[in-house]
């Protein structure tokens, strides 16, 4: 227990994300194109071949009996009630620009009281979009991934009521994508920010040496497609997505009290203060952290390192961080998970 505790504290007392102000990314990394988004698909199907681990109810048997009628085989549902089948929900995400014949991975989840989907095969299942149209059809062998093992190596037993079929669905119908409206393409920021949006627009205008881009809000940048690219939109978007920008990463502190984790980005500096917490007494005087025997800088990272050196636990560091925020010493946004 002591070894686990030491490992736990050393591993997750602090995770410092280095998001320095000079980090450069491409526009593709931090935006997506309006009108080009994933769509969710779903369908209800039947898994067979479960070796007695399937549903105890009559629904799967009735569905299979109805399927067999299409092949001219008439079977009473009661004759198929062998617990070898299960009613399942099949879900998938279809990315933009997927065309008929392309394949998708699907997730298969038990709906009834089946004990396991291990070894099962999904029968042909239409997958519907929110508009009620069928966009893909799924079928195939389920994969759970190492359900159990008796080997000496300790492996986690897999959850056997949810399975996947890699490339298990074939797209039947394209989902229309309209990414150009009145000659304008709009980039949507993954994390809306006024400064980042302005920098994206400036970088695009600089690249094309023309004022074709404008940040319409903190979350969107509108781009007028140049005449030279009206009939060659893909090349234009390829150029835009590879343009480099320096995003604005707001300083934020994330605290997970359940795991004892403190995450913060950038160099968060602290003003002068004096703090007493239990057996800990730490001050920042004239921009220098004083912890009794030594002094260092005045960043949050310096404070956390000093507290760790004094024997503070993850819970101590979290409590001190929250107290500093409430006292106004930490002005950054604090998110508690």
């Amino acid at each position: 227990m002591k070894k686990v505790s030491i490992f736990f504290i050393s591993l997750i007392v602090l995770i410092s994300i280095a998001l320095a102000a000079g980090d450069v990314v491409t526009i593709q990394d931090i935006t997506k194109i309006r009108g080009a988004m994933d769509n969710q698909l779903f369908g209800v199907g039947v898994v067979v071949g479960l070796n007695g681990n399937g549903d105890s109810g009559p629904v799967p048997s009735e569905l299979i009996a109805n399927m067999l009628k299409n092949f001219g085989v008439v079977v009473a549902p009661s004759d198929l009630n062998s617990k070898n089948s299960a009613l399942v929900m099949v879900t998938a995400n279809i990315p933009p620009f997927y065309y008929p014949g392309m394949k998708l991975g699907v997730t298969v989840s038990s709906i009834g009281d089946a004990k396991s989907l291990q070894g099962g095969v999904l029968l042909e299942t239409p997958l519907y979009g929110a508009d009620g149209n069928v966009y893909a059809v799924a079928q195939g062998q389920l994969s759970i991934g190492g359900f159990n093992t008796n080997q000496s190596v300790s492996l986690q037993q897999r959850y056997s009521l949810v399975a996947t079929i890699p490339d298990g669905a074939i797209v039947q119908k394209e989902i229309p994508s309209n990414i150009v409206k009145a000659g304008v393409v709009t980039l949507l920021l993954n994390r809306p920010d006024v400064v980042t949006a302005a920098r994206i627009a400036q970088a695009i205008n600089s690249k094309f040496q023309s004022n074709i881009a404008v940040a319409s809000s903190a979350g969107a940048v509108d781009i007028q497609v140049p005449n030279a690219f009206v009939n060659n939109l893909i090349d234009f978007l390829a150029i835009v997505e590879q343009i480099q920008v320096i995003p604005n990463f707001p300083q934020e502190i994330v605290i997970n009290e359940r795991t004892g984790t403190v995450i913060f980005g950038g160099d968060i500096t602290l003003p002068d203060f004096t703090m007493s917490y239990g057996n800990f007494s730490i001050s920042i005087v004239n921009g220098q952290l004083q912890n009794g025997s030594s002094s260092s800088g005045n960043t949050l990272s310096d404070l956390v390192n000093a507290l760790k050196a004094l024997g503070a636990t993850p819970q101590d560091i979290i409590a001190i961080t929250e107290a500093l925020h409430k006292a106004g010493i930490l002005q950054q946004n604090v998110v508690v998970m």
Side-chain angles (χ1 to χ4, degrees), residues 5 7 10 33 66 152 181 263 267 289 308 332:
S5 178
F7 173 76
S10 62
I33 302 172
N66 290 334
S152 59
K181 294 183 178 180
I263 305 173
D267 293 328
L289 178 65
K308 289 171 60 180
Q332 288 74 18

Side-chain angles (χ1 to χ4, degrees), residues 12 35 69 78 121 146 180 194 265 276 314:
I12 63 175
K69 288 181 182 179
S78 58
V121 175
V180 181
V194 172
S276 179

Side-chain angles (χ1 to χ4, degrees), residues 45-48 57-82 84-87 123:
V46 176
V47 170
V48 297
V59 176
S61 300
E62 292 176 357
L63 290 176
I64 294 175
N66 290 334
M67 291 179 184
L68 291 176
K69 288 181 182 179
N70 296 328
F71 298 97
V73 179
V74 179
V75 179
S78 58
D79 294 335
L80 298 172
N81 191 14
S82 61
N84 288 341
S85 59
L87 191 66
L123 298 182

Side-chain angles (χ1 to χ4, degrees), residues 273-277 280-284 303 307 320 323-324 329:
F273 73 93
T274 298
M275 177 202 69
S276 179
Y277 174 85
F280 306 119
S281 180
I282 293 181
S283 300
I284 291 182
L303 174 62
L307 290 170
I320 292 170
L324 292 175
I329 296 171

Side-chain angles (χ1 to χ4, degrees), residues 142-162:
L142 304 188
S143 174
I144 293 177
F147 169 64
N148 205 344
T149 180
N150 293 321
Q151 298 177 358
S152 59
V153 179
S154 177
L155 297 178
Q156 182 180 2
Q157 181 171 319
R158 304 299 185 188
Y159 186 69
S160 59
L161 294 180
V162 177

Side-chain angles (χ1 to χ4, degrees), residues 47-57 60 82-88 110 112-120 144 147 160-161:
V47 170
V48 297
L50 297 181
N51 193 26
N53 290 320
D55 293 345
S56 60
S82 61
K83 295 185 180 181
N84 288 341
S85 59
L87 191 66
V88 294
S110 173
D113 61 353
K115 296 179 180 179
S116 173
L117 298 180
Q118 174 74 15
I144 293 177
F147 169 64
S160 59
L161 294 180

Side-chain angles (χ1 to χ4, degrees), residues 10-38:
S10 62
L11 178 64
I12 63 175
V13 166
L14 174 66
I15 303 176
S16 178
I17 303 177
L19 298 178
D23 286 348
V24 177
V25 300
T26 64
I27 289 178
Q28 182 182 23
D29 295 329
I30 57 176
T31 67
K32 56 181 173 288
I33 302 172
R34 175 181 285 175
M37 64 180 184
D38 288 3

